[in-house]
Amino acid sequence: LATAIALSFLSFSACAEEIPTRFGSLKINDENTLLFNNKPLDPAIQGNSGLSVEGSYQIGNTDVVLVADIGGSACPVLLYFVTTSSSGVTASPEFGTCSDLIEITKKADSIAVTMPGFRSSAVHSEAEQRKAFKEKHTYVFTGGVLTENGRPVK
């Protein structure tokens, strides 16, 4: 059974937001840095204007947290999947189209994020923005691997 959640906007996180997992605590500190057990991830996840948690999921022996890096008008949002397990913490590559219109679908062993394309109004024409909005990008995180429309994200 799949669970779908559509988000038309992303909320800004409160300072020092704590995200409990079965393997330790993720925390967004006052400098918009994501910490695991009070230590920055390596490589660090540093928010532009802020970080927010868009979902937390248990998949087998891992906990997966979807983290949004809140940007500005040129790129409102980019995303990360952060995985905690008994062996520590890892993060996916940064991903997304910059759109803040996302739909999250959780299945038994995967999480999918679907979003339209995005072109900033500061740089692109209205026609380019409309064309990008019609694009559909689907990112699937399964078994620690992230794909976009079926191709690995690096």
Side-chain angles (χ1 to χ4, degrees), residues 119-121 123-130:
R119 298 293 182 269
S120 170
S121 61
V123 188
H124 300 278
S125 71
E126 199 172 304
E128 290 172 308
Q129 292 173 55
R130 279 195 303 274

Side-chain angles (χ1 to χ4, degrees), residues 16-114:
E17 180 179 352
E18 191 105 15
I19 306 102
T21 75
R22 292 178 290 173
F23 307 99
S25 177
L26 288 166
K27 182 178 182 179
I28 300 168
N29 71 10
D30 294 337
E31 288 82 39
N32 290 318
T33 301
L34 187 64
L35 309 175
F36 180 66
N37 293 334
N38 291 315
K39 295 180 184 165
L41 278 65
D42 184 20
I45 294 179
Q46 175 79 45
N48 183 359
S49 297
L51 291 174
S52 84
V53 174
E54 301 310 316
S56 184
Y57 312 91
Q58 289 184 7
I59 297 181
N61 294 326
T62 64
D63 288 354
V64 181
V65 179
L66 181 60
V67 176
D69 177 358
I70 310 300
S73 61
C75 184
V77 174
L78 289 171
L79 302 165
Y80 297 88
F81 283 111
V82 179
T83 304
T84 64
S85 68
S86 59
S87 57
V89 64
T90 58
S92 72
E94 180 179 70
F95 71 96
T97 63
C98 291
S99 176
D100 59 359
L101 302 173
I102 67 174
E103 180 181 316
I104 304 165
T105 306
K106 160 100 170 50
K107 294 186 179 175
D109 63 351
S110 67
I111 305 164
V113 175
T114 304

